[in-house]
Amino acid sequence: MFVILRYRFRKLQRKMCSEIGFNVFGKGLIIWHGQRIITNGEARVGDYCSISSGVVIGHGNGGAPHIGNNVEMTINSTIIGDVSIADNVRIGANALVVKDIIEPNTTWGGVPAKKISDHGTVENPVVA
């Protein structure tokens, strides 16, 4: 069964011009548009993340990214290198992340990525 599923998975990857490594993403992944998605097999992405077309999660500078839970990677965003990204972070379109993002619930954009908002993927955070 594994061989059949792997064949179907690779056929779908070729059709979508994408490369997605096995066991990179946690549970609840949402792929909005499956075209041109490239992920390194050593990267680790948490639960309930979402990605759009053109997203690159790549190896560089001696390691692969470690991405937290509920992270949204929008169109053509790129995360390269041995970086860590906190939970509930939104990465804007065409952003290039090359350093750690340690602040949860923030939005980042630009080349290289800089914080542009204190609102991440949690739309209405509960204030205690």
Side-chain angles (χ1 to χ4, degrees), residues 25-87:
F25 294 94
K27 64 184 175 186
L29 172 67
I30 297 173
I31 300 176
W32 293 107
H33 303 282
Q35 297 83 10
R36 302 177 296 110
I37 296 171
I38 308 295
T39 62
N40 183 281
E42 296 177 19
R44 293 295 168 251
V45 180
D47 298 336
Y48 305 106
C49 292
S50 68
I51 57 177
S52 295
S53 68
V55 169
V56 175
I57 302 171
H59 189 276
N61 298 332
H66 295 277
I67 300 170
N69 299 322
N70 300 310
V71 174
E72 180 180 354
M73 294 160 270
T74 59
I75 295 173
N76 294 327
S77 59
T78 303
I79 304 165
I80 295 178
D82 188 15
V83 298
S84 296
I85 297 178
D87 295 342

